[in-house]
């Protein structure tokens, strides 16, 4: 449901295969972090015990959705705004990694803004 909401309701631009990519990234990152967090931080045995795993996954999915939305919107807007420049670099022989690094660094900054702002509230009190 989280991937469906991100791809169909929150992002205006549609890219082929976006749902599957968003689903895989949200599912595996949330399950991995949720399992590791429950096992080591909360000492839950087994790590997927429902009384702690369900609330943890709910919080993780909410935060992950926000980060994915900001990241995808940043990547798509960067590609739309600098599309001519990207095509120019590619025509001059730039590799895909040379083109992608500035776009992804900007997207990572945008995706981490809500998480950093949330941590700032905890650190200031």
């Amino acid at each position: 449901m989280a991937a469906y909401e991100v791809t169909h309701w929150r992002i205006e631009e549609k890219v082929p295969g976006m749902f599957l990519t968003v689903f895989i990234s949200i599912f595996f990152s949330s399950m991995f972090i949720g399992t590791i967090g429950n096992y080591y931080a909360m000492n839950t045995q087994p790590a997927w015990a429902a009384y702690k795993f369900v609330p943890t996954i709910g919080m993780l999915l909410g935060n992950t959705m926000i980060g994915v939305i900001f990241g995808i919107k940043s990547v798509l807007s960067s590609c739309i705004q600098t599309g001519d420049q990207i095509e120019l670099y590619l025509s001059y022989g730039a590799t895909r990694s040379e083109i992608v690094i500035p776009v992804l660094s900007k997207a990572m900054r945008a995706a981490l803004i809500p998480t950093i702002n949330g941590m700032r509230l905890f650190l200031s009190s």
Side-chain angles (χ1 to χ4, degrees):
M1 293 301 293
Y4 184 81
E5 182 174 343
V6 168
T7 56
H8 293 289
W9 292 353
R10 304 289 181 182
I11 298 176
E12 296 81 26
E13 299 88 9
K14 303 296 182 227
V15 177
M18 184 166 60
F19 174 77
L20 183 62
T21 305
V22 169
F23 175 78
I24 290 171
S25 65
I26 288 176
F27 179 78
F28 285 111
S29 65
S30 296
M31 287 299 169
F32 178 73
I33 297 298
T35 305
I36 297 296
N38 277 343
Y39 187 75
Y40 291 109
M42 292 192 222
N43 293 326
T44 306
Q45 299 295 332
W48 50 86
Y51 70 98
K52 286 195 179 179
F53 194 68
V54 171
T56 304
I57 287 297
M59 290 183 280
L60 281 172
L61 286 174
N63 289 331
T64 304
M65 283 173 48
I66 293 169
V68 167
I69 290 168
F70 278 115
I72 290 174
K73 283 186 177 183
S74 176
V75 166
L76 292 176
S77 68
S78 291
C79 289
I80 290 170
Q81 291 173 354
T82 61
D84 295 336
Q85 185 179 7
I86 290 172
E87 288 181 16
L88 179 68
Y89 289 156
L90 288 172
S91 67
Y92 282 142
T95 63
R96 284 186 283 179
S97 61
E98 292 173 339
I99 302 294
V100 166
I101 288 173
V103 173
L104 289 182
S105 65
K106 184 178 174 184
M108 290 295 291
R109 255 186 252 117
L112 289 173
I113 286 173
T115 304
I116 292 170
N117 284 340
M119 283 194 272
R120 185 181 328 161
L121 293 175
F122 291 117
L123 294 176
S124 66
S125 53

